[in-house]
Amino acid sequence: MKKIAFLLALLTSSLLFSQEYHDFGFARNFDIPVFGSGASALANPWGGGINSVRASEIDLNLDGIKDLFLFEKNGNRILPYLNNGIENEISYRYAPEYKHSFPILHDWVILKDYNGDGKEDIFTYGLAGITVYKNISDSALRFELITTQLESYYYNNYTNIFSSPDDYLVIEDIDNDGDVDILNFMVLGRYIHFQKNYAIENSGHAENFDFRLADECWGKFAEGADDNSIELNVDCGSRDRDKTRHVGSTILAYDYTKDGKKDILIGDIDYPETVFLENGGTVEEALMVSQTTSFPNAIQPIHLYSMPAVTFYDLSNDGIDEIIVSPADPSLVKSENQNSVWLYRYNSTSETYELQTRSFLQEDMIDVGSGAYPILFDWNGDGLEDLFIANYGTYDSSTFYNFYLASYYSSSIAYYENIGQNTAPAFRWVTDDFGQLRDSGHEALYPVFGDFTGDGTIDLLCGNRNGNLLLFRNTGADGALPQLEESVIYGDISVEDYSTPQYFDLDKDGKKDLLIGNRRGQIAYYRNISTDSIPTFELITAQLGGVDVRDFTLSYFGYSVPFFFRTSDDLTVLFCANEQGKIAYYKNIDHNLDGTFELVEDAIFEVEENRRYDISEGIRSGLSIYDLNHDQFPDLLVGNYAGGLSFFQGTTPPDIHISIENYEFSSFEIYPNPANEKIVIDGRIEKIKKICIYSVTGEKIASIHNCDVPVILSTEHLSAGFYILRIQDQDNRVHTEKIIIAH
């Protein structure tokens, strides 16, 4: 009998370092297909999710076709989409490579050509004002800072044009004179100020700005002080003008009635309706004469929590504008997440706009709601890592409580089966609610897989918003979707808020420990002190390694998500995601569990056209690392609060590959090897759950289930060559062996 020499480099293994430190380079990859509930692959599966965006148009690749620019306020995410340019068809490709062409932007962004050169410029939030970047693109997309604060002539003095970070103002040619004007709410006031641009009048061109306050009550209407009501025909000179409004509104000026005058659409914080105001005045003197919340039609009006922002753009390349609607509420938890980008198209027969979808672009990508935390685990035992995505929650409903809008979410775990091959992964959606955990009523579930009850089946141990751990015991049949039963085991473990556990043998004693991230941005270490098959954990420290991923210049919280792994020379490495979407890299961990880990700066980066960029995909990020295509390069999955994933393929030298703790090893005997007519599998167990034989390219050749040991496999039908033998025992431990068939 010949002892197995397990080839860890094939399905498990580890990072191979010539030293303790290494740069980790990754390139964004869109080639791994993902299938939704239908037969076709998703068009943009790795788009990163969407919760609340404001749309603008711009020519990204300078091909003369207007593309789509989306900006998500929460996380300041830039989402560029290339227009495929098909007439009468809405077809776009996610193109994140263009986001590096834009400057750092935050709070709100509007793209508008202010100087008439045909190239959209950037207007964005500055310190209580407006910052402007000029589009100076020639052979590539480029911008130049013009001013950090636009000014207007107010009351015999030039002063900053006020802008709230929570408002969307109007930058548009209101008076049809060829230069852009500005409509903004007065500070804490109910009226809209008209900042007229006199650039054309005074200089004959629109290259420079010359704003002056031309109307303190443009349109002669006032927004409600305590709600989203609109008062028409107001006396702008009355004492009522100083009444404080409730802050947070979106404004769009658009000639919807096609009479040459700008009408107005307003969305308000905490409210789902869009108020349409028709301009019955003149170009010189606006007057809103009617209002409705049944826009664009009474059958399918906009009703989208919260603070809907409306834009009109020709997405279908037919000369007719479509309507895009998405919430602009600054709160993280006031978005209808999975159905938060509504698209209306104009029907020339009915002469009205009709709702086409509530999930424009979202339906073409992985989007699990709010929060996306990827976990890779071979659930079905076929040797391929399946994809699980936990979330903060999917939107349920909204209600007003004591004049405050509360929105409710239910956490769940999405399951995508890996239906590809060893070297070519592909994922197929199975369910959005693995184990039917949504009905449990928890928020921010974060799972790890393992046998926590000692019964030989894989259970789920989940962190949650409250900071403790929830054990869901698997009572289902082997190989099927689990039947999960909530248990109180480990109820004494708590890290205060937002627990994100990892199950990993940190101290190298052969037993997996619990490393738990939390809202503080730290990592708690619970050592496994069990002496039997049921894990038992003891708190060693609440701040392992001195890790603290908070950025106090931006937030008091960290929302750490740890991911430990090992090198081939048995060195432990930590990647840790945080609230701001950054990934921190720590080393000097082994033999230093009671000390301070070493933070390595600028060692994790995205590679694009030989340039290095920080990987930052959105706030409250999560991550998983695995060599998915088995090229010995570590690959990276990154999730964010918008509910989507980004996939980065490893570009580091080929001596680097990643080990995953799903795989464990025990003694088996496989003989003869090389084999001719048969192979015998023997060991110190009575039954084997599953045996699979793969080609060296990852193609499954054969499989058998529920075998008594020893097992005799006929190999007469196999051609001479190398194969991979994968064995899954009754405890779901996986064993691999390279075998040689020599007829």
Side-chain angles (χ1 to χ4, degrees):
M1 295 173 71
K2 184 177 179 179
K3 293 240 181 207
I4 290 182
F6 290 103
L7 304 179
L8 306 186
L10 290 169
L11 288 177
T12 65
S13 88
S14 1
L15 286 168
L16 299 174
F17 281 92
S18 59
Q19 54 187 16
E20 293 189 13
Y21 161 78
H22 202 288
D23 281 352
F24 289 87
F26 300 92
R28 203 180 293 268
N29 186 299
F30 300 102
D31 294 335
I32 294 179
V34 179
F35 297 85
S37 55
S40 301
L42 300 178
N44 297 295
W46 309 106
I50 297 173
N51 275 358
S52 50
V53 292
R54 173 68 185 256
S56 296
E57 64 176 2
I58 185 173
D59 186 358
L60 294 168
N61 56 356
L62 311 182
D63 64 351
I65 300 174
K66 296 299 183 184
D67 305 300
L68 187 62
F69 173 94
L70 302 179
F71 183 79
E72 181 143 16
K73 177 186 181 69
N74 293 320
N76 299 318
R77 297 172 65 222
I78 294 172
L79 304 173
Y81 280 82
L82 285 177
N83 187 343
N84 291 322
I86 305 171
E87 188 174 353
N88 296 317
E89 184 174 329
I90 300 175
S91 177
Y92 285 82
R93 176 180 70 80
Y94 181 48
E97 62 270 22
Y98 290 99
K99 73 177 185 177
H100 303 303
S101 300
F102 290 85
I104 296 174
L105 306 170
H106 56 92
D107 291 290
W108 59 260
V109 179
I110 297 172
L111 304 186
K112 190 69 181 180
D113 177 14
Y114 76 83
N115 59 0
D117 64 357
K119 297 181 287 190
E120 283 73 21
D121 309 293
I122 300 174
F123 294 80
T124 186
Y125 180 73
L127 185 59
I130 304 169
T131 294
V132 182
Y133 293 87
K134 181 181 176 181
N135 190 334
I136 58 171
S137 304
D138 41 29
S139 60
L141 190 65
R142 295 191 301 133
F143 298 92
E144 176 185 63
L145 178 65
I146 298 300
T147 179
T148 57
Q149 286 193 324
L150 277 181
E151 292 186 339
S152 181
Y153 194 73
Y154 282 77
Y155 314 119
N156 300 315
N157 193 22
Y158 282 96
T159 188
N160 176 50
I161 299 176
F162 172 75
S163 170
S164 164
D166 297 331
D167 284 346
Y168 260 104
L169 41 66
V170 170
I171 299 172
E172 186 70 52
D173 185 3
I174 299 297
D175 53 7
N176 300 331
D177 65 351
D179 51 27
V180 295
D181 311 296
I182 294 176
L183 298 178
N184 66 311
F185 275 106
M186 61 182 293
V187 180
L188 298 179
R190 304 166 58 216
Y191 304 151
I192 285 182
H193 283 179
F194 173 37
Q195 314 289 345
K196 176 177 169 57
N197 189 355
Y198 286 87
I200 291 291
E201 286 87 345
N202 293 338
S203 66
H205 59 80
E207 185 65 35
N208 299 314
F209 299 116
D210 188 359
F211 292 104
R212 302 180 190 183
L213 179 60
D215 193 340
E216 294 181 277
C217 186
W218 186 84
K220 305 300 181 288
F221 71 93
E223 189 183 37
D226 300 314
D227 53 32
N228 68 333
S229 63
I230 299 293
E231 182 182 356
L232 302 178
N233 299 305
V234 299
D235 180 2
C236 299
S238 71
R239 294 175 60 185
D240 184 59
R241 65 180 294 160
D242 297 323
K243 186 181 289 185
T244 300
R245 73 181 178 96
H246 94 248
V247 177
S249 296
T250 66
I251 321 172
L252 178 75
Y254 184 81
D255 184 9
Y256 186 73
T257 55
K258 307 300 182 186
D259 61 358
K261 306 183 298 288
K262 296 296 191 295
D263 308 300
I264 290 293
L265 292 121
I266 295 179
D268 221 331
I269 197 166
D270 287 349
Y271 293 90
E273 300 90 4
T274 292
V275 182
F276 172 74
L277 305 176
E278 182 179 353
N279 188 353
T282 65
V283 173
E284 293 75 22
E285 182 111 12
L287 176 65
M288 303 301 149
V289 296
S290 66
Q291 62 175 304
T292 180
T293 57
S294 299
F295 180 87
N297 63 67
I299 299 175
Q300 297 175 317
I302 294 171
H303 193 277
L304 179 63
Y305 284 106
S306 153
M307 191 174 159
V310 180
T311 51
F312 286 77
Y313 292 112
D314 179 12
L315 302 176
S316 56
N317 312 297
D318 61 357
I320 301 173
D321 287 343
E322 279 75 34
I323 300 176
I324 307 172
V325 191
S326 188
D329 195 304
S331 172
L332 282 179
V333 289
K334 293 181 182 179
S335 168
E336 298 191 28
N337 49 43
Q338 287 181 307
N339 298 287
S340 60
V341 189
W342 290 21
L343 175 69
Y344 290 83
R345 295 192 72 175
Y346 187 74
N347 187 321
S348 58
T349 303
S350 62
E351 296 185 336
T352 186
Y353 279 92
E354 298 177 350
L355 182 63
Q356 300 297 298
T357 177
R358 289 179 169 86
S359 54
F360 174 54
L361 299 176
Q362 295 170 300
E363 57 201 7
D364 296 324
M365 67 176 68
I366 295 172
D367 192 328
V368 298
S370 294
Y373 305 101
I375 295 94
L376 292 164
F377 184 82
D378 181 11
W379 172 257
N380 57 10
D382 63 356
L384 303 173
E385 298 302 302
D386 304 305
L387 174 62
F388 296 84
I389 314 168
N391 65 8
Y392 171 84
T394 52
Y395 174 84
D396 285 338
S397 60
S398 294
T399 185
F400 279 94
Y401 180 75
N402 288 337
F403 302 100
Y404 174 79
L405 178 69
S407 296
Y408 302 97
Y409 298 81
S410 297
S411 186
S412 58
I413 301 170
Y415 168 36
Y416 288 79
E417 180 188 6
N418 190 341
I419 59 172
Q421 298 182 356
N422 211 28
T423 58
F427 296 101
R428 177 182 62 85
W429 174 86
V430 178
T431 178
D432 283 330
D433 192 14
F434 182 78
Q436 298 179 314
L437 299 183
R438 184 174 292 158
D439 292 340
S440 64
H442 299 288
E443 291 183 340
L445 291 176
Y446 190 101
V448 292
F449 293 85
D451 181 7
F452 296 99
T453 56
D455 62 357
T457 60
I458 297 297
D459 311 301
L460 265 70
L461 187 66
C462 294
N464 68 353
R465 179 178 180 177
N466 296 329
N468 51 13
L469 297 182
L470 306 169
L471 177 63
F472 294 93
R473 182 172 175 265
N474 185 5
T475 61
D478 289 345
L481 289 176
Q483 299 293 319
L484 297 178
E485 180 182 285
E486 190 168 346
S487 172
V488 295
I489 301 176
Y490 310 128
D492 58 337
I493 295 178
S494 177
V495 295
E496 297 183 11
D497 293 296
Y498 291 92
S499 47
T500 53
Q502 185 188 7
Y503 197 33
F504 180 86
D505 183 10
L506 183 65
D507 59 1
K508 302 180 179 178
D509 66 349
K511 295 176 291 188
K512 292 184 180 182
D513 311 297
L514 283 176
L515 300 313
I516 310 174
N518 54 43
R519 189 167 68 164
R520 293 192 310 275
Q522 301 164 353
I523 301 172
Y525 171 31
Y526 284 83
R527 185 170 180 264
N528 190 345
I529 58 172
S530 173
T531 58
D532 54 31
S533 60
I534 301 177
T536 304
F537 302 101
E538 178 184 57
L539 177 64
I540 302 301
T541 177
Q543 191 179 1
L544 176 67
V547 172
D548 193 331
V549 295
R550 289 176 288 186
D551 184 346
F552 287 106
T553 64
L554 300 172
S555 174
Y556 290 107
F557 302 115
Y559 292 92
S560 54
V561 181
F563 194 99
F564 289 86
F565 54 92
R566 288 217 168 89
T567 69
S568 63
D569 47 2
D570 214 28
L571 294 174
T572 305
V573 176
L574 166 65
F575 281 13
C576 192
N578 75 351
E579 181 184 33
Q580 303 307 320
K582 307 296 184 182
I583 302 174
Y585 166 35
Y586 293 88
K587 66 170 189 171
N588 191 24
I589 297 173
D590 294 314
H591 312 295
N592 190 32
L593 298 184
D594 58 351
T596 300
F597 301 161
E598 181 180 348
L599 175 63
V600 184
E601 302 284 356
D602 301 320
I604 305 172
F605 53 90
E606 177 185 356
V607 180
E608 184 181 300
E609 295 182 348
N610 297 318
R611 301 182 69 178
R612 296 166 58 142
Y613 301 96
D614 290 339
I615 294 177
S616 184
E617 295 299 290
I619 60 173
R620 298 198 190 178
S621 57
L623 78 161
S624 253
I625 306 170
Y626 191 75
D627 182 8
L628 271 174
N629 58 4
H630 294 88
D631 63 353
Q632 300 187 7
F633 288 42
D635 305 315
L636 177 65
L637 279 170
V638 182
N640 64 74
Y641 196 79
L645 299 183
S646 302
F647 176 68
F648 297 88
Q649 185 169 316
T651 62
T652 43
D655 62 342
I656 298 179
H657 47 286
I658 295 291
S659 68
I660 294 295
E661 290 260 318
N662 290 352
Y663 296 98
E664 302 176 357
F665 304 91
S666 66
S667 296
F668 272 89
E669 293 181 335
I670 301 177
Y671 60 95
N673 191 10
N676 185 359
E677 298 178 352
K678 66 180 181 182
I679 285 180
V680 179
I681 303 172
D682 203 352
R684 295 191 298 271
I685 61 174
E686 293 181 357
K687 294 186 74 70
I688 292 175
K689 186 174 183 178
K690 188 176 183 180
I691 300 172
C692 295
I693 300 176
Y694 298 88
S695 71
V696 292
T697 61
E699 180 184 2
K700 185 188 294 185
I701 305 298
S703 65
I704 59 173
H705 300 259
N706 299 319
C707 316
D708 293 327
V709 177
V711 181
I712 301 175
L713 297 179
S714 173
T715 58
E716 292 181 323
H717 64 291
L718 298 178
S719 301
F722 293 91
Y723 295 85
I724 306 298
L725 186 68
R726 185 181 187 276
I727 307 167
Q728 182 180 3
D729 65 23
Q730 294 297 306
D731 295 326
N732 288 307
R733 294 175 297 186
V734 176
H735 324 271
T736 62
E737 164 87 322
K738 183 177 180 181
I739 59 175
I740 302 172
I741 306 299
H743 295 302

